[in-house]
Amino acid sequence: MVPFAIGGMTIWAIAGLALLPFRDTLATHGHGDWLAICLAGFLWGFPGLAVMIKHDANRRRRHGE
């Protein structure tokens, strides 16, 4: 499950970096929030990552791995 959380965070980070050069154009066309949405998606990935790490640890403990 951890790779999914890391993958999601990576996608949000890449999307935000890809939109960064276009921030003025986005703001002009009323889409200035897109960068904030990418940042929020990336930052919300940290609690998700923590949950997935805990979940994987509990699953390994239950299955005796």
Side-chain angles (χ1 to χ4, degrees):
M1 300 296 274
V2 171
F4 290 112
I6 292 173
M9 290 173 64
T10 302
I11 290 169
W12 281 116
I14 290 171
L17 290 174
L19 290 175
L20 199 57
F22 305 106
R23 65 181 172 261
D24 293 332
T25 306
L26 290 169
T28 302
H29 291 94
H31 301 296
D33 292 341
W34 287 10
L35 285 171
I37 291 168
C38 290
L39 179 62
F42 175 74
L43 293 176
W44 273 108
F46 285 107
L49 179 62
V51 168
M52 293 299 115
I53 289 170
K54 178 116 173 128
H55 173 18
D56 284 354
N58 287 337
R59 188 181 58 192
R60 273 188 245 107
R61 183 181 43 80
R62 279 193 317 267
H63 293 293
E65 295 177 5

